[in-house]
Amino acid sequence: MAVCIAVIAKENYPLYIRSTPTENELKFHYMVHTSLDVVDEKISAMGKALVDQRELYLGLLYPTEDYKVYGYVTNSKVKFVMVVDSSNTALRDNEIRSMFRKLHNSYTDVMCNPFYNPGDRIQAFDNMVTSMMIQVC
Amino acid sequence: MDASEEPLPPVIYTMENKPIVTCAGDQNLFTSVYPTLSQQLPREPMEWRRSYGRAPKMIHLESNFVQFKEELLPKEGNKALLTFPFLHIYWTECCDTEVYKATVKDDLTKWQNVLKAHSSVDWLIVIVENDAKKKNKTNILPRTSIVDKIRNDFCNKQSDRCVVLSDPLKDSSRTQESWNAFLTKLRTLLLMSFTKNLGKFEDDMRTLREKRTEPGWSFCEYFMVQEELAFVFEMLQQFEDALVQYDELDALFSQYVVNFGAGDGANWLTFFCQPVKSWNGLILRKPIDMEKRESIQRREATLLDLRSYLFSRQCTLLLFLQRPWEVAQRALELLHNCVQELKLLEVSVPPGALDCWVFLSCLEVLQRIEGCCDRAQIDSNIAHTVGLWSYATEKLKSLGYLCGLVSEKGPNSEDLNRTVDLLAGLGAERPETANTAQSPYKKLKEALSSVEAFEKHYLDLSHATIEMYTSIGRIRSAKFVGKDLAEFYMRKKAPQKAEIYLQGALKNYLAEGWALPITHTRKQLAECQKHLGQIENYLQTSSLLASDHHLTEEERKHFCQEILDFASQPSDSPGHKIVLPMHSFAQLRDLHFDPSNAVVHVGGVLCVEITMYSQMPVPVHVEQIVVNVHFSIEKNSYRKTAEWLTKHKTSNGIINFPPETAPFPVSQNSLPALELYEMFERSPSDNSLNTTGIICRNVHMLLRRQESSSSLEMPSGVALEEGAHVLRCSHVTLEPGANQITFRTQVSIDCPWSIYSTVIALTFSVPFRTTHSLLSSGTRKYVQVCVQNLSELDFQLSDSYLVDTGDSTDLQLVPLNTQSQQPIYSKQSVFFVWELKWTEEPPPSLHCRFSVGFSPASEEQLSISLKPYTYEFKVENFFTLYNVKAEIFPPSGMEYCRTGSLCSLEVLITRLSDLLEVDKDEALTESDEHFSTKLMYEVVDNSSNWAVCGKSCGVISMPVAARATHRVHMEVMPLFAGYLPLPDVRLFKYLPHHSAHSSQLDADSWIENDSLSVDKHGDDQPDSSSLKSRGSVHSACSSEHKGLPMPRLQALPAGQVFNSSSGTQVLVIPSQDDHVLEVSVT
């Protein structure tokens, strides 16, 4: 499934980032950070159209030899970035979309928690993210 | 757009291909009309209706006319489409019956038989009619007769297969008409033939594809078949359709590879799993790479061969379709995909071989695109191509590392062997690029040839990539490539060049708060600064790293040791000091002053204890810790100090500093928290609630525009003054974590500019605010003390006492508080209650002292013993003199009160005691040993539930004797239904106007009561007869009343009146005719 899942604040600092423990965490941090370039580009390029269609899924941000990086942006400009192993051919666009929707729902739950301070790093995400990283299609 | 740059190889698969049409019969005749025919045929487009629901297309037809030979007709089973003759034409200009019978008919029959033998039904007979020829002949039959004969003989029910072309070489309207009709016929027949033959071909192809699960099926064979179709579409200039054929082949192959990975292997796929032996990259300069095509045909192609060939065809077609950017995008996908597929199929690949292949392919694609686009187009589409540039850079880098071209010493023999192997796999350069100076092949070969050449090529590529990323605003990507470059420079021992890239990247990560990249980049930067000998910068970076929790303990210790080692070195240049910011070493957690107000007399001793949180991983011995005291002497310093103290200071002299948060971006960090408050807005007239809501007090702070530029600025520090007031503490070891350091020093304040002593304003701030109140229940009395914690700290309260400091012996204060220990949290209140008890006549006033012990709730600060907190107060006139009881009765004969109907209000005022000391005032009158006093009552309903009808207030003469009772009747009207609270009954002392003790009076409120102005009539019970639905007696007062001798009202102290009916409610039911509205129309 996903090898790295990140939630990034409107100001582009990470609210939450987690990767599979077997891999080098730093690599994914760099990858997710770099992918923000394309997120920004996509948001500004199709900004208006995106709002009109209420399309939050940004699609494939950029492929690398080993990974595919996908993006999603909420209405409040919080970004979700998901890194998937390229060899995982079972993951099609639809699966990625539904994973992002799940992530969005969990994020909404976090925001609804009265003890959560918007903008703080998210703590209570691990269970859901773990399920998305392990679950096999 | 034409791809062919050099003479095309002599193969039939070229763009010069046209559908083949054979010509039989009179060759000379055909030769004479051929120029016109070949020119006219493509001029008009024709609509091609497609099978399988595909959209019709307009198509310009061209044909390759060849002489008819039997060999041209495809034999049974031959799948070739390109060489397939789509139409056969027989040309004749015969107009003579004899000639027809003698030769033409036989010839035609032979021709027809050959066609029939090959079951070809696409034919046409053209009879060219020539006026000039006719004139010379004598036995001329009418034209029609020959045509009719031919039609009769050959065109069985297909009369349209025989057409007449009249005077084709003349320039007349008749000729033109004849040509048009002929061309239309020709086009129609050609398209019919296409539809039929392509349809048949596609059907065969599908059948073949359906057999793909059968054991003997070969992908290569199928590939050739479907490609044939693609060729035909390409020949017909239907590039979109041709591309679809290749995309289908691409998808089919990909699916097989995926299935193979899933364990479902096809036999033929093993051919593609041969070890990779050649990695010469994509070739995109010819429309068709025949070499690769033949290897596929011979089933000898490797996976890279097949993929390369397939992509070269897709590229050609995409360029025909003018979609060069799609080529770039697809190329990147293809390269990634190939790498993945080789992994999936577990194909053995020599190290570096794929890097070569990818590098060559990236450059080939880029050069191909550059070859067909102008500069402006390329510059505005960098976003599409930059991925390939970046990928090529990455691959060249890894080749450089692999071949020992990045190390300081250069490649060793092993590296050289590997380089030779890699170059061998490239083979010889392809002829089509042999004359190109900058071909990918030459670049790679050169880059791998020497350390210097590699550096040149790698730097060129990196700089180009960074520049492109920067130009399209992909700053993060640019910084990331820059970091690779920095790594390269570090390997090349050129830290001065690496520094700028590392700093740039670090700045970017800091601005956006990415902790791990910050740590990693800082580590690289530390190494760089160390090599550069930038001691100060290096130590500063080291201090940040030593306190960085993302590093391992070992790494942190290393950086901490670096600083300590430097500190222990004897300084070679005295006077040179390296100053590092403190925040990375340790954080100030709190300051503790003793005495707690931090104010001492001149010559006094002030003890300052600071808590430092050491961020270092190991205990650090500190020679000296110095606190610089910064005096700010300015105007209004007294007020500023007071402000500061209320803001920061807590009791017992502890000032807390919140710990710094992790490296958040400053913009986010500086946002204040929401300050939300409840808001109630009451009507000014009767205090009823109008609106309520929540308001945000600091909305101007929250919605302020964030200055992006200032986000990295640090607050400017206070400049250190040499010899300023300093507190020192020597030889301290700071353990990791919290440390307490005590400074004990004598402070004397000298005023260098004045010989007089300075007056210092002291501000004390108390931790608590205390209020008291007297509570009554009939004649029983209670004292309530409320302690409110004003500070930021939590406290523990204990041993609360309330004592009477007067000497009234018969008074007893009985505590009703259960707990002896009670926590009081910051900004919260705690209540204490005592009951007052007495046996004899109570004293008119009571002096009380409340005391409570307190200590901070947090345990570590328990050592401080504090005096109990005390609060003194006085309670006066607390004895209940009057009991007021109000009751409302429904109108007689009714069970309940109804809205709108008058009810009676009965007020009972009872005196509870005999004459007391407190009664002795000017209202008291004495006659025959009987005392009486004047009271005023008033019925007010602030909640607008009742309308008081008739009089609402009056003055009564009250005998001063226990159990004396006064009963008052009034009329009130309920305005609403429901359980309504009773209106308030207020009682005042009515002082006659000759009173001289005006100081006792509440001068503001009660004298200006217009209901009292009628008092001059001397009536004891002045009525206010107006209906006061709103219940206010403070109506407008005219200024002339002031100055006149007026009776005065004095509110009875709260303790003296007890309202026994407060809180009771009366049921009011709605009246039936509530909804009837009378309307009179005149």
Side-chain angles (χ1 to χ4, degrees), chain A residues 8 12-14 17 25-26 29-30 32-34 36-38 40-41 63-66 86-87 89 119 121, chain B residues 258 336 339-340 343 391 395 474-477 480 483 508-509 512-514 516-517 520-521 664-665 668:
Chain A
I8 293 141
N12 286 336
Y13 62 91
I17 180 162
E25 203 183 353
L26 180 68
H29 280 244
Y30 277 125
V32 172
H33 180 254
T34 313
L36 292 178
D37 273 342
V38 190
D40 283 355
E41 218 167 75
T64 68
E65 222 169 80
D66 304 309
S86 282
S87 60
T89 45
R121 266 147 233 250
Chain B
V258 168
H336 291 145
V339 174
Q340 282 298 322
K343 260 189 216 167
Y391 199 21
K395 288 299 165 188
R474 294 197 189 175
I475 303 301
R476 299 176 191 90
S477 310
F480 192 63
K483 278 200 65 207
N508 184 238
Y509 301 140
E512 296 189 332
W514 284 72
L516 253 54
H520 178 241
T521 311
F664 266 112
Q668 188 262 339

Side-chain angles (χ1 to χ4, degrees), chain B residues 1038-1052:
Chain B
S1038 40
S1039 56
E1040 67 246 36
H1041 287 158
K1042 286 188 177 169
L1044 287 175
M1046 290 288 295
R1048 318 239 152 173
L1049 287 178
Q1050 187 183 6
L1052 280 165

Side-chain angles (χ1 to χ4, degrees), chain B residues 888-898 901-904 971:
Chain B
I888 287 182
F889 299 101
S892 54
M894 289 227 246
E895 198 179 348
Y896 296 109
C897 300
R898 282 181 189 276
S901 61
L902 284 177
C903 307
S904 76
E971 290 196 310

